Every structure is written in structure tokens, then in C-alpha cells.
Amino acid sequence: MISRRRFLKTAGMTLVGSSAGFRSGVAVNPVRYVDVARSAGISFQHDNAASSEKYLIETMGSGCGWIDYDQNGLLDLYLVNGASTRLYTPKHALRSALYRNNGDGTFTDVTLKAGVAAEDLFGMGVAVGDYDNDGFPDLLILGYERCILYHNNGDGTFTDVTSRAGVGNVRKWGSSAAWFDYDNDGLLDLVIANYVDWSPERNFWCGDKGPGLRSYCHPDVYHGEPPTLYHNNGDGTFSDVSKRSGLGIKAGNGLGVVTFDYDNDGWQDIFIANDHMPNYLFHNNRDGTFREIGYSAGVAVGIDGQFEAGMGTDAADTTGSGRLDLIVAHLDQQLARLYQNVGEGYFEDATFRSRISYATFHLSGFGTRFMDYDNDGARDLFIANGHVLDNIQRYHADTTYAEPKLMFRNTGHGIFQNVSEQLGSDFQLPRVSRGAAIADFDNDGDLDILVSNNGQPPQLLRNDGGNSNHWLQIFLIGTRSNRDAVGARVKVTAGDLVLYDERKGGMSYQSAQDPRLHFGLGQRRTVEEVEIKWPSGGLTKLTNLKSDQILAIEEGKGLVTRPFPRVPAKS
């Protein structure tokens, strides 16, 4: 996690003019992010069971996520919590929490009623997916030594089906996961990025000797764990195909995962961000197996050939090429890496050319997402930051434990400008951030940000102003394909603007995202065409659509009626 390499910090960012499909470097509509968590009724407090013994699990979590569990068109939210340990007994039992979106700008804690408290699980991540195609999203909670799969009963309650489903990931430290259909059989499979083989019995002393000097250990002190791949059998059970698929023979320090079709061949590939070792890109061989090609594809390490502390990750088209690029967040004294997909199965390290590099040097990035925060038609970049060492200033005087967030505005062709200081005081407030989940929770057409903070309350950053520009959101419903339509590729044409996106699995760090695809349109009021390539091979085209609406599109039918109520703003 800690690199000894240092770079001299240099200044200067220039903007570029726009060309077809991309904007100028001048923001027309100001956006502010306002933290509404407390006023919305979210009283959750993350407890990381901090102790003087510096258990490694205390510093690596946790995540958060969005799930419309009752399918009323309003996104509800889930927050993952820690648990008691040998060294820490809280006054009250620790629970993760499900908050129902009331549709009026507030949320209600329905954890106990829904049955998803995940008590006694030292939680890390959350992943949402409709694994049985019944129309109700299910909930996977990842944690240290085991995971919990909650099946959505469709009546506001869930049932723990972990044992029957066979997805417990027992005796492994699950960090992030992705629901995706790797064999295109119409059923969601599951990949889990596992971290190291730490245990309380092997909690070594790291850092200097003396009172208050002990530090959390570097991951190199422990052995890495290979990822886990579960195949969906279609009867409510899963088979562990980790070794058979080729994933289980590659031990790693997995923290973040995203599944996407990097080579546009119609099959989902897997990228895993590894902590202080080369990243993995598993190419889908289309026969149930994968081949790890991180080095040959150019995403295992940065341009200097050094592996780094890979944590959060995401994929998106930042240049208008129709190919998905990669972001990988790293620890301070390193740089967040942007890998541009140049085609032919290869990526180039565009970190310096994109101009995101130096702003990330003194920060430690975890949750990260590409998102068009101002709806002007280009994918921007968000990073939630927070160091892993609570005594980091002893070693790096200019680095803090709690850190501000970053937003990079895409000024055109994948060139970014740091606009973090323009987004309001709530956005800039330093926190020990981990998971980040992006969603339009109020259905007003701009993207909000949910952030889980280690040992601190979460933040729900409402986007105020992003919907001054036009937008379109698309909710995909698979029939021949998996119902979540993971793997579907979408092309949106609005005048001179052509946008591409894909229904991906995983993303960010230990967190679950809005299931809808979001497209900023700038000043364009109409969309000439939406083209969807489904995982089954089917094709859907819709023409002459108005902007500023949420569309539900079903495979084989086209537009279908589905409510997405607008939530009134509350201060």
C-alpha cells in the first residue's frame, strides 16, 4: 500500500476546445454537492472496531450501495458495517443498514423488517443483482471469512440463502464483487475479489515500537488470495468454478473489480485492482475459461513498470471512441492511473496526458466512478479518498488520514480538469472515505453520490444544478438475456453527440451502483436514436426520443411503462 517512490509535484492544467460530441473547457452550469444524509434521516454510523492492535480489517472497509428492493422506481440505499472482534465489544450489536427511499427526500431504516442486518459479519462490500430473474434484486454482503446472500422475497423482506446457494466464500476475505453473465446463458454469475490471508492469530506488529506508533501492516506481510468465481446453475444454487475457469490459480490482493467487454467481442471480461501487485485482466475465452492478460494488455502496471496499491476501479468511454477505458485508484505517493483503450486489445497509460496525475499524488483513492456530473455529454471522474494509516502524518507530514474528494471534469477527448474546489464545502470536507456509489436517488436527472466513511457517518451528496443540462436515463430489462441486462451495450445519438456505455458489473470499491445507464446531453433536447445490443445477441433500436426522461426498455418489446417518481428537493 505504501510506495517509497516520490514525484515532484508540478502545476498547471490547460483546457482544450471541443469537437463533435464533446464540450468546451468552460462550465456553463455551476453544480454544487450538498450533504443531505442527516436531514434525510440517515443516522447510520460506521464502526470499524478500531483497536490498539491494528487489525488489518479495521482499515479496509466498507462499502455502500443502491437497490430498489421494492421495485417502486425509487432507489433505496444499503450501508455495510463492521462487527465485534476479539479485542472490541461495542455497547450495541453492530448491524448493516437498509434505508427505504420515502419519495419525499427522506429515508426510513427498514433493516430489521427486511431481515438484512448482517449481524456478526465484519462487512466489507455489497453487490446487487437479480440472480434468479424474478424481477426483484437480491443482495450480497461481502465480509471477512464469509459472505451473506439475501434473496429478495418480493414483499419487502429477504431470506438468507447463503448455505443453499453455496456462495459463502468461507475462510476468505471478500472485498468487492460483481454480478455478471460470463457465459451468456441468461443467468447472473458472481465473481468476488478476495484480499489477503490475514487472521487475528497472524496479526503481526508493523510500524515502529512504542506507545501509539504501531501501524496497520502492509499487504506484502500476508499472502494474497485468488478470486472466487461462482457459476449460476439456474436452480437457486451456484457452483464454485474458480480453478476450472482459470481465476482460482491466480492469487492476488484483490480490492476492486469491474466486469466489462474491453475488446467488444460480446463477452464480459474481468478486471481486478490488486493492492501492491500487478492488476489482473481476465480475458473471456468464451468457453467458460479466462486467460489473464494484464501485462500484455497494458493494465497490470503503470507506464513506469511499477505495480501500485490498486483499490477502486471503473470503466467508461472517456474519449468518444466507443471503447471503454479503465481507472485504477491508488495510495498516496502514487498516481491514480487512467488506461485508455486504444483498440486491438491494448490500453495505454494516459495518466499524464489526461492531466489527472498530480492532483492524486498526496491522496489515497478508494471508491471511484466515471460519471457525467454536469450532464454536458462527457464522462467525468470522481474519487473518494482516505488514507489507510491513522498515524500517516508521522511518516508523511503532508498527508492526512481524512482527505477531501476529487472531481475531474472531462473537458474533451479524455483531458480532465480538477474542479473539486468548485463543488461546495460539503464535497471538500475531509473524510476517511472508502466505498462510493453513484445514483440519481431523487430521479431529477443528475447524479448524486453516496460515500461510506471508515469509522464515520456516511455522506449523501445531492447534486444541485446538474440537471440544468439535458439528460437521458435508460433502465434495461433482459428477457433472453439476464434480467439485469449486464453486458448490454448502448449507443445514444443526439445530434452531433454520440455516446457509448455498457451495463457493467461491480465498479468502484465494495459498492453497488444505480442500475440505470445515465447520459448527459448538454443543450440537446432530442435523441435521434438509442441502439441496444443485448448479451443474447439481440438488437433494439428506438428513434426520436425526448430528453429529460427515464426510459424502461425491455428486450424484445422496446419501451415499457414503469414509474420513476420525481423526489422533491429537501434542504
Side-chain angles (χ1 to χ4, degrees):
M1 286 182 286
I2 296 176
S3 169
R4 295 178 176 84
R5 295 178 295 112
R6 293 181 175 269
F7 294 88
L8 293 177
K9 184 175 182 181
T10 62
M13 286 188 179
T14 58
L15 305 183
V16 298
S18 66
S19 64
F22 285 88
R23 60 191 172 200
S24 66
V26 180
V28 177
N29 303 305
V31 174
R32 294 291 183 272
Y33 276 98
V34 179
D35 185 2
V36 298
R38 184 170 295 275
S39 63
I42 300 169
S43 58
F44 180 85
Q45 167 77 40
H46 181 258
D47 192 330
N48 65 332
S51 73
S52 60
E53 294 299 304
K54 302 291 184 181
Y55 279 3
L56 191 56
I57 54 173
E58 298 170 9
T59 194
M60 299 308 297
S62 59
C64 53
W66 296 101
I67 174 173
D68 183 3
Y69 79 98
D70 51 3
Q71 289 296 280
N72 65 352
L74 295 167
L75 286 172
D76 314 297
L77 65 88
Y78 192 87
L79 297 161
V80 181
N81 211 347
S84 60
T85 67
R86 296 181 182 182
L87 303 174
Y88 176 76
T89 302
K91 294 180 180 179
H92 305 285
L94 300 182
R95 302 185 181 99
S96 296
L98 175 65
Y99 282 87
R100 184 179 187 272
N101 189 334
N102 297 323
D104 61 359
T106 67
F107 291 78
T108 298
D109 188 336
V110 295
T111 309
L112 297 181
K113 178 181 178 181
V116 290
E119 290 189 44
D120 301 321
L121 173 70
F122 203 105
M124 290 289 154
V126 54
V128 174
D130 184 2
Y131 74 87
D132 56 354
N133 291 338
D134 66 353
F136 289 91
D138 308 299
L139 193 60
L140 177 78
I141 315 302
L142 300 104
Y144 172 68
E145 288 198 316
R146 65 188 178 98
C147 297
I148 299 174
L149 177 60
Y150 289 114
H151 176 261
N152 191 332
N153 299 321
D155 60 0
T157 68
F158 293 75
T159 299
D160 183 342
V161 297
T162 313
S163 179
R164 177 180 184 275
V167 293
N169 204 42
V170 179
R171 292 185 295 278
K172 294 181 180 179
W173 178 346
S175 177
S176 300
W179 292 102
F180 76 128
D181 184 2
Y182 75 86
D183 52 359
N184 285 344
D185 66 352
L187 298 168
L188 287 180
D189 310 300
L190 177 65
V191 60
I192 298 176
N194 294 309
Y195 199 42
V196 298
D197 67 345
W198 174 90
S199 69
E201 294 79 16
R202 301 178 64 246
N203 188 55
F204 308 121
W205 186 291
C206 295
D208 298 328
K209 296 288 185 179
L213 301 183
R214 187 171 187 172
S215 296
Y216 295 105
C217 286
H218 193 285
D220 286 357
V221 173
Y222 303 98
H223 296 294
E225 295 279 2
T228 305
L229 181 62
Y230 290 108
H231 177 261
N232 191 332
N233 299 322
D235 59 359
T237 69
F238 292 76
S239 296
D240 187 339
V241 295
S242 305
K243 291 186 178 179
R244 188 193 325 161
S245 68
L247 270 67
I249 62 175
K250 295 290 292 185
N253 302 336
L255 287 178
V257 61
V258 60
T259 66
F260 70 113
D261 182 7
Y262 85 94
D263 54 356
N264 294 352
D265 68 351
W267 296 75
Q268 288 272 286
D269 310 295
I270 305 168
F271 178 81
I272 294 179
N274 282 317
D275 188 359
H276 206 253
M277 63 174 291
N279 303 312
Y280 291 154
L281 177 59
F282 290 99
H283 177 260
N284 193 327
N285 295 326
R286 313 184 204 180
D287 60 1
T289 68
F290 292 81
R291 184 174 75 260
E292 203 288 300
I293 59 167
Y295 271 109
S296 61
V299 296
V301 296
I303 195 171
D304 57 2
Q306 301 296 314
F307 49 76
E308 295 168 306
M311 295 182 289
T313 186
D314 192 17
D317 178 11
T318 67
T319 64
S321 67
R323 298 181 294 268
L324 301 189
D325 311 310
L326 272 169
I327 183 68
V328 186
H330 294 120
L331 205 65
D332 74 305
Q333 313 300 306
Q334 300 172 357
L335 304 172
R337 294 286 173 183
L338 178 62
Y339 297 101
Q340 183 183 337
N341 190 333
V342 297
E344 303 299 325
Y346 189 72
F347 295 76
E348 289 182 350
D349 186 341
T351 303
F352 289 95
R353 177 158 45 87
S354 68
R355 298 171 188 168
I356 70 167
S357 54
Y358 298 114
T360 68
F361 181 70
H362 287 292
L363 299 173
S364 299
F366 279 86
T368 183
R369 281 297 316 278
F370 289 111
M371 57 180 292
D372 188 355
Y373 80 95
D374 56 358
N375 279 341
D376 65 356
R379 303 287 175 181
D380 311 304
L381 175 61
F382 169 78
I383 305 178
N385 303 293
H387 210 277
V388 295
L389 301 183
D390 53 3
N391 58 353
I392 182 59
Q393 286 191 293
R394 173 178 172 81
Y395 305 99
H396 299 161
D398 51 1
T399 303
T400 59
Y401 185 41
E403 298 175 335
K405 297 163 185 61
L406 288 172
M407 183 73 81
F408 294 97
R409 183 172 179 268
N410 189 339
T411 62
H413 300 288
I415 307 300
F416 292 84
Q417 175 195 14
N418 184 0
V419 296
S420 309
E421 295 182 355
Q422 302 174 19
L423 300 181
S425 58
D426 288 352
F427 186 90
Q428 299 173 58
L429 196 64
R431 287 290 182 266
V432 187
S433 297
R434 295 294 183 258
I438 308 302
D440 181 9
F441 81 88
D442 48 7
N443 290 339
D444 69 347
D446 51 29
L447 293 175
D448 313 297
I449 306 172
L450 177 65
V451 180
S452 178
N453 299 310
N454 188 41
Q456 300 172 332
Q459 294 163 286
L460 177 55
L461 297 169
R462 186 187 66 205
N463 185 323
D464 289 348
N467 57 8
S468 296
N469 277 325
H470 296 293
W471 53 275
L472 186 73
Q473 291 181 23
I474 299 176
F475 180 72
L476 298 173
I477 306 169
T479 52
R480 291 177 56 205
S481 306
N482 65 86
R483 189 177 178 90
D484 286 355
V486 176
R489 296 180 65 86
V490 178
K491 177 182 177 183
V492 171
T493 303
D496 62 337
L497 182 66
V498 181
L499 300 172
Y500 301 87
D501 204 358
E502 180 179 318
R503 184 71 163 87
K504 299 166 292 185
M507 296 172 279
S508 188
Y509 177 79
Q510 299 183 346
S511 299
Q513 313 298 316
D514 191 331
R516 301 167 297 190
L517 299 181
H518 182 99
F519 300 90
L521 300 175
Q523 296 302 302
R524 301 162 185 87
R525 296 178 180 272
T526 59
V527 173
E528 279 73 29
E529 184 178 78
V530 171
E531 178 183 281
I532 303 161
K533 294 181 179 178
W534 301 89
S536 66
L539 183 68
T540 297
K541 288 188 178 183
L542 302 173
T543 57
N544 298 321
L545 302 166
K546 292 182 179 180
S547 64
D548 303 330
Q549 60 176 324
I550 305 173
L551 303 178
I553 303 175
E554 185 172 332
E555 184 179 14
K557 287 186 178 180
L559 287 174
V560 295
T561 301
R562 194 179 182 97
F564 296 100
R566 176 83 175 253
V567 176
K570 288 179 73 72
S571 58

